[in-house]
Amino acid sequence: MSGPQCCENPPTLNPVSGSGHVEKVGGLDAYVSGSPDSKLCILLISEVFGYEAPKLRALADKVAASGFYVVVPDYFYGDPYNPADQDRPVLVWIKDHGCDKGFEDTIPVLEAIKNKGITAIGAAGMCWGGGKAPIAILGAELDHWTSPALVKQFEETLASKPEVPSYVKIHPKVSHGWTVRYNIDEPEAVKAAEEAHKEMLDWFVTYLK
């Protein structure tokens, strides 16, 4: 969650990107997309760059188009990691935004979602937001933080628990952050990201719908 690959190819944040809107959910600002009448919700948890990243919001819209109500909370309270701030490198920034605080903030978010009449909730996390049973893990061959060897360990652990549905895959020729920080001018990068998006969607459709 704080290696060099976490900060590569940073997005240009845009608070008005996406076809959804921002509202308060459980006390946090959150980007929301999809029908509020849906009984199925996906909690999409950002990486260190936060919930205003356009490709993250585009992914939320893509998931919403499949019939899900998607919530992307601002766990960083308007203070995402800024690579241009040389006085606050990611290892300093992360001290103010530990995952433990994110876990605490998720409790009222989930309560607020349930109060909307949602009957099933799934979650997907990128980097800082990654971690839920059933569970799917999509790894990257060139990831130095969550290496293929570590993903294989996850796979072996999950395989020892056949009662928990799981899916583990290592995508070839991609690196950390490839699903939301891909270069749109590189067809292979776009193809790899879209393949992972489809696998995630298929997983949610199978276990939430």
Side-chain angles (χ1 to χ4, degrees):
M1 293 179 293
S2 57
Q5 288 184 321
C6 296
C7 309
E8 294 175 352
N9 192 26
T12 299
L13 303 184
N14 183 352
V16 297
S17 60
S19 59
H21 65 278
V22 174
E23 65 178 64
K24 288 287 186 182
V25 179
L28 297 181
D29 285 338
Y31 176 75
V32 174
S33 186
S35 172
D37 296 326
S38 175
K39 299 300 181 183
L40 308 174
C41 177
I42 301 300
L43 186 65
L44 198 56
I45 306 171
S46 77
E47 51 182 2
V48 296
F49 298 106
Y51 83 137
E52 293 181 352
K55 288 174 185 170
L56 177 66
R57 290 191 174 186
L59 177 56
D61 294 340
K62 181 185 292 187
V63 175
S66 293
F68 296 98
Y69 179 70
V70 184
V71 177
V72 190
D74 177 17
Y75 283 108
F76 307 140
Y77 294 85
D79 181 38
Y81 170 62
N82 178 7
D85 186 353
Q86 298 183 358
D87 294 327
R88 202 177 179 210
V90 69
L91 291 178
V92 173
W93 175 89
I94 199 73
K95 293 178 181 178
D96 296 324
H97 300 289
C99 292
D100 52 348
K101 182 64 167 64
F103 290 138
E104 292 176 9
D105 287 342
T106 298
I107 296 173
V109 169
L110 292 177
E111 288 301 317
I113 291 172
K114 292 176 182 177
N115 288 340
K116 293 178 180 290
I118 299 293
T119 58
I121 303 173
M126 286 67 178
C127 186
W128 182 94
K132 339 168 199 38
I135 183 169
I137 298 174
L138 303 180
E141 180 184 15
L142 307 179
D143 194 328
H144 300 155
W145 182 256
T146 308
S147 67
L150 181 57
V151 173
K152 285 293 185 183
Q153 291 180 28
F154 292 154
E155 184 176 32
E156 292 170 2
T157 300
L158 290 168
S160 69
K161 300 179 181 294
E163 71 278 8
V164 178
S166 63
Y167 175 77
V168 179
K169 179 179 178 179
I170 298 173
H171 283 251
K173 301 179 182 178
V174 293
S175 60
H176 191 89
W178 93 100
T179 61
V180 289
R181 279 187 274 131
Y182 53 91
N183 187 336
I184 60 173
D185 296 322
E186 296 180 5
E188 289 301 314
V190 174
K191 180 181 178 181
E194 290 182 343
E195 181 180 342
H197 297 168
K198 183 179 184 302
E199 290 168 347
M200 182 187 73
L201 263 176
D202 289 346
W203 183 261
F204 286 137
V205 168
T206 297
Y207 289 99
L208 287 183
K209 284 195 171 182

